[in-house]
Amino acid sequence: MYRIGVDIGGTGIQAGLLNLDGQIICKKECITDVKSGFRSVMQDIRKLVDTLLEANEVLPSQIELIGFGVPSFINKKGQVTCVNLNWHEENFIPTLKAIFPEFKVAAENDATVAALAEAKFGSMRGYSYAVMLTLGTGVGGGIIINGSPFVGAHGMGSEIGHMVIGKNDFDCKCGNNGCFETFCSATGIVKYTKNLLMDGEKSRLMALCKGDLKRLSAKKVFDAYRHKDVVAIKSIQRFKQYLAIGIANIINSIDPHIIAIGGGVSRAGDIILDGLEDEVRKYILYKNEEIAKIVVATLGNEAGIIGAAFLEEKES
């Protein structure tokens, strides 16, 4: 028996055939044709899954479930609204059931499925209470309790990136000011660093960007940090301060065994983890007690496929 995981992104869709040990046997992908609309994308997903089955000579009867990760929350009606996909209250779950009538299907937010993968097969394996933070263009979050995703009463229970943790110089794309993701995403790092550079602070970053701030990236800021660049140090220290505040809020609210940090920003895990626990302890209630272990996620870009494949079908 096998499972299939489908990771739907704003630019690409990846589907993987997995055995029951969580190993990806085969992977296929296609572009996300956002301009053609919801129905077209859903049909492309069906074709992608069919290609995956045909390439591996696997029958539908051998598939326990097809799971999907989507960059949005899914409401009680199974609808998805997602700016990156240009979807507005699209009937996501009902459509999945219609185009995959011979399969069990399940779907959750992409950060939630990544968290499930890390909890079952990666950095958070063996822990009953686990939280994953995905630091990328935004900040995503997944909460796993006793091996199952926690999504709350209305499906919105893992939107950790939209905790308000301070006041920022710009509003979040959600319309609020001070969201976690405006401080601790790659976008937040770049915006703050650009402000410092535009204020005239001297930095090797200008050379790394060849004088064009449009070339600035979080990776370049971390690279400059390693070379003790003053602007990069100021930016990354601020990032880590707010990351600690966000993590402390999670600990004060949930008290997990472990928190894993994933996403593109986590590639600088050595810098992120250095001194982070001490910073977190400044903001937690019980400062001398044992707290969540903070680690870097291990499954990388495959976490979305793996976690999606091991979702469970919900009762209608």
Side-chain angles (χ1 to χ4, degrees), residues 209-255:
C209 295
K210 298 180 179 179
D212 181 3
L213 288 182
K214 291 180 180 177
R215 295 172 178 260
L216 186 64
S217 65
K219 182 183 182 301
K220 286 185 172 67
V221 179
F222 278 106
D223 287 345
Y225 179 94
R226 295 184 191 280
H227 289 88
K228 297 181 169 46
D229 180 86
V230 174
V231 168
I233 288 172
K234 189 179 292 188
S235 182
I236 298 305
Q237 284 180 340
R238 178 181 185 265
F239 155 77
K240 289 178 68 173
Q241 178 192 0
Y242 282 101
L243 179 61
I245 292 171
I247 289 174
N249 284 343
I250 294 168
I251 291 172
N252 287 334
S253 302
I254 302 172
D255 185 26

Side-chain angles (χ1 to χ4, degrees), residues 97-120:
K97 290 181 177 180
I99 67 171
F100 291 104
E102 70 272 48
F103 299 100
K104 290 182 178 179
V105 296
E108 288 292 353
N109 171 269
D110 55 0
T112 296
V113 301
L116 181 61
E118 292 289 341
K120 289 185 74 70

Side-chain angles (χ1 to χ4, degrees), residues 15 22 26 29 46 48 72 111 125 152 173 176 188 195 200 211 256 259 269 298:
C26 181
E29 59 186 86
R46 175 75 219 209
L48 189 63
S72 174
R125 188 172 186 174
K173 62 186 179 184
N176 289 331
N195 287 342
I259 297 172
T298 56

Side-chain angles (χ1 to χ4, degrees), residues 10 167 186 301:
K167 184 171 178 57
N301 292 333

Side-chain angles (χ1 to χ4, degrees), residues 280-314:
V280 168
R281 285 190 178 276
K282 294 178 183 178
Y283 305 103
I284 62 172
L285 181 58
Y286 303 108
K287 301 187 187 305
N288 297 321
E289 297 298 322
E290 183 179 356
I291 64 170
K293 184 179 180 182
I294 305 169
V295 301
V296 173
T298 56
L299 296 178
N301 292 333
E302 294 184 338
I305 292 174
I306 296 169
F310 285 86
L311 291 169
E312 296 298 334
E313 186 180 40
K314 293 180 180 179

